[in-house]
Amino acid sequence: MKVAVLGASGRAGSEITKELAARGHTVTAIARRPEAIPSAPGVTAVVGDASDAAALPDLIKGSDAVISALHFDVPADAILAALKTAGVPRLLVTGGAASLEVAPGVLLIDTPAFPEEWKPIAVGGVDFLKTLRGETQIDWTFFSPAALIEEGPRLGRYRTGGDQLLTDANGDSKISFADYAIAMVDEREQHKHSRARFTAAY
């Protein structure tokens, strides 16, 4: 499969790029700093800015899917438009945890424990998901991580859920970037969440 990764030099994007390459996918790894993109067989590092609406379709053209590992400063409408122009049928998004429910109808972002300094970025993720839920042409998946996604070992295991925050027996919600990448590439290959959101945690 040919997969374009947006934000391939970031922490999530670089792990996803490495996981795709390890499984034999052909990867177009796109970032503003291509020198920071992991080098691996099957990976082509490309300089590109996803906020450049005119240039983005040419960067992703010919891909079977796009995985966006960007922050939410590029709106969903812009990325969806680029996929449609380029003729790419599938979009997978590294989404935030803020829009997950901690109780029926109560989002994580609306709880007192959610850090105020994270809210400006987190709101972008909530809005991104809302836009995707109205999209009917592109086959999208929004992958919310656990509440805490961090550097850590590649354990090769995770649990999945839907719209509710997953916690362990201690009440913690976490996953490493490496295992997040495994779950993302599993979704790319297994296609279990078409036009839906899912989450993963230990």
Side-chain angles (χ1 to χ4, degrees), residues 84-109:
K84 292 172 186 177
T85 299
V88 179
R90 189 158 186 228
L91 173 66
L92 299 95
V93 178
T94 58
S99 58
L100 290 167
E101 292 184 344
V102 296
V106 180
L107 304 185
L108 179 61
I109 193 174

Side-chain angles (χ1 to χ4, degrees), residues 47-61:
V47 62
D49 186 343
S51 65
D52 186 342
L56 185 56
D58 285 339
L59 294 174
I60 62 175
K61 191 173 183 179

